[in-house]
Amino acid sequence: MTLKRTLENIENQFETFQILNEEGEIVNEDYMPDLSDEDLKEIMRRMVYTRILDQRSIALNRQGRLGFYAPTAGQEASQLGSQFALEKEDFILPGYRDVPQLIWHGLPLYQAFLFSRGHYKGNQMPEGVNAVSPQIIIGAQITQTAGVGLGYKKRGENAVAITYTGDGGASQGDFYEGINFAGAFGAQAIFVVQNNRFAISVPVEKQSAAQTIAQKAVAAGIEGIQVDGMDVLAVYAATKDARERAVNGEGPTLIETLTYRYGPHTMAGDDPTRYRTEDEDNEWEKKDPIVRFRKFLEAKGLWSEEEENELIEKTKEEIKAAIKEADNTPKQSVTDLIGIMHEELPSNLKEQLEEYKEKESK
Amino acid sequence: MAQMTMIQAITDAMRTELKNDDNVLVFGEDVGQNGGVFRATEGLQKEFGEDRVFDTPLAESGIGGMSIGLALTGFRPVPEIQFFGFVYETMDAISGQMARYRYRSGGTRPMPITVRSPFGGGVHTPELHADSLEGLMAQQPGLRVVIPSNPYDAKGLLISSIRNNDPVIFLEHMKLYRSFREEVPEEEYTVELDKAAVKREGTDVTLVAYGAMVHSCLKAAEELEKDGVNAEVIDLRTVAPVDYETILESVKKTNRAVVVQEAQKQAGIAANIVSEIQEKAILHLEAPVLRVTAPDTVYAFTQAEEVWLPNHNTIVEKVNDVMNF
Ligand SMILES: Cc1ncc(C[n+]2csc(CCOP(=O)(O)OP(=O)(O)O)c2C)c(N)n1
Ligand SMILES: [Mg+2]
């Protein structure tokens, strides 16, 4: 006699939630979110803008004019669909690839460029922009999100903390601790795992025996859902639902979005042909979030090639202006660094501050 | 005034700040209902409620990360790491995250977190409970490390730490928790951070120490007195940053120094102090500055602990070496 086991039962319950298929057709009318035509167009604009920004960022990086950059093309639906479901007061704790969410949450573009270039001013969120700069340590932001979500609960705020990590990030101890703490405290939090199938070169199949990342929610006693991460409507609907439940005191949610990054891991020498096939790339490009959403909007008579071209030109201009503004920002000095490490300068640094003031005044 | 042990003074400091500031939160493993394994938070949950003083799941990285998130929403967290040997579990949250947040955010996100934790040898704990890991913390820019040696300082320093807008690692030597009582005001007061105290004035040699070793130094000074050696004893209180001013002033007077730490010798607080003395006061020195430390091993198992730890005898020996140089 075999013992009663649960794994199969659990895994079978995690289906991929989709609203818009690859052809741009609504396949799940019941869950179609209540979005105005203007909202739908705004989502499209943001995705196109972000795709252009990615192309320009890669070009700028190759010219040596940007610095650290993690490409985003392919992940627009996951990144922007979830961000579109947020309110201004919600708090974003992003990973290094999640700069687009910050931009749409209110970080000026020139500051995003300063972040890439390694200038502290790129990390200063403007007043009222509830976010921190992208986390470099995989998973560290996840436990912090439990804390922000608990803080919001304690203060009775009508807001959530949302964090992003990848399929690799879901293997970190901090991932498990973070979702477990959030569950135990009923934190107002959303954990988004953008499963783009690779952690640099390591395929998701090597990260875990778990069939889905979403099912990891079960062990933490929180809600989990797997979403088609190339379907911006499904990502939006799942995040909106998670947000509502979180602020209603119904606990945190883990959202796994199935997506793909078309480009290299970062612009620091990664060569995806070492670990991915062209077939796989092509397979995923057929699922492209912008292509399918364009089809959907065009069928509704909400979008035209003309409008898109106009938007692309405007975006390029904005990027140009933002780069110029970043160029005009004086370089960060060591004196700046010493000055903002502490509220009050400790005695050892007082001496060193003088030393660097002297050095940097030359 | 009341007679308090160091642990009572620590509880009293947290009670004072929980009362003063609604943003202060006290939490950790067994901290709520049970009042902490050493009873440092005894009665606080009852007095301030589960919303302010609470138990957490058993995961130190989670405790550290959650503290940061709470600080991001304006709270002033006072998490406890049950024993400081467990700090390795939360090194990223402390050194990779809270220490850097202010800078990383361009000066916009303060981390007013006070991580409290018991440490220190001589109380026969299992492995990884007693280690002196303050050197590890002192290596991390952005952290302040505070180690009280007595009940009065413990209360005043802990209140100052909780009020400070940068992260503080507040380490409590287990041997001092209940070893003696002293007069501690019941009302609130602060002891300044980053400031050492001269515990005994002397003219012949400067002994620099912190935590339990301050008491070993005082005992050594008494012994030395019998041989006509008059030792000055400095209690650092804050070990990062070090109050070099007080040390240098003393060394310029005594012309000799011995630096004492319970930790192993390599790369510690004492090494820093010796370097600074020779950089700033070499022409005042009559002898090399020596160190009294544990050997460069991990903390000893219980049976070897007694010999492993520095004590007043090893201090007297080193002072004699310095006097007879
Ligand atoms: C703690 C830590 N370990 C390793 C790295 C190096 N690293 C940076 S990104 C990355 C892969 C992350 O993959 P994933 O979580 O799937 O996110 P993706 O890059 O695919 O968005 C690794 C190993 C790091 N930054 N932090
Ligand atoms: Mg990935």
Side-chain angles (χ1 to χ4, degrees), chain A residues 237-252:
Chain A
T239 314
K240 187 96 183 150
D241 174 68
R243 188 188 185 280
E244 246 166 59
R245 280 184 290 97
V247 295
N248 288 339
E250 292 166 48

Side-chain angles (χ1 to χ4, degrees), chain A residues 75 96-97 165-169 194-200 202 204 261 265:
Chain A
Q75 298 190 204
Y96 47 85
R97 206 181 298 289
T165 189
D167 40 297
Q194 296 178 75
N195 176 359
N196 62 8
R197 306 210 19 81
F198 291 90
I200 309 185
V202 180
V204 65
R261 81 170 136 74
H265 168 66

Side-chain angles (χ1 to χ4, degrees), chain A residues 123-124 144 154 174 177 343, chain B residues 51 61-62 101 104 106 166:
Chain A
N123 295 13
Q124 288 176 328
Q144 294 167 23
K154 285 189 181 296
D174 272 355
E177 293 190 24
E343 181 169 63
Chain B
D51 203 42
S61 190
Y101 242 104
R104 181 187 292 159
D166 287 317

Side-chain angles (χ1 to χ4, degrees), chain B residues 230-249:
Chain B
N230 191 359
E232 178 143 309
V233 177
I234 293 177
D235 176 358
L236 288 179
R237 302 197 289 198
T238 299
V239 305
V242 169
D243 174 8
Y244 291 118
E245 214 179 297
T246 300
I247 297 171
L248 290 169
E249 198 180 305

Side-chain angles (χ1 to χ4, degrees), chain A residues 102 107 111-112 114-116 118-126 131-134, chain B residues 101-109:
Chain A
L102 290 179
L107 179 69
Q111 283 189 276
L114 286 177
F115 160 73
S116 278
H119 194 304
Y120 75 90
K121 288 202 167 150
N123 295 13
Q124 288 176 328
M125 296 299 139
V132 289
S133 58
Chain B
Y101 242 104
R102 184 185 281 277
Y103 169 57
R104 181 187 292 159
S105 63
T108 63
R109 301 268 183 208

Side-chain angles (χ1 to χ4, degrees), chain A residues 308-347:
Chain A
E308 187 160 329
N309 287 336
E310 219 172 277
L311 169 65
I312 291 171
E313 284 320 304
K314 210 177 120 228
T315 304
K316 286 181 178 167
E317 287 308 311
E318 267 183 46
I319 293 169
K320 226 185 256 170
I323 278 289
K324 203 160 161 202
E325 196 169 355
D327 288 345
N328 289 338
T329 308
K331 228 177 117 177
Q332 184 195 323
S333 63
V334 174
T335 313
D336 290 332
L337 159 51
I338 293 175
I340 55 179
M341 276 287 303
H342 307 83
E343 181 169 63
E344 222 180 294
L345 212 57
S347 50

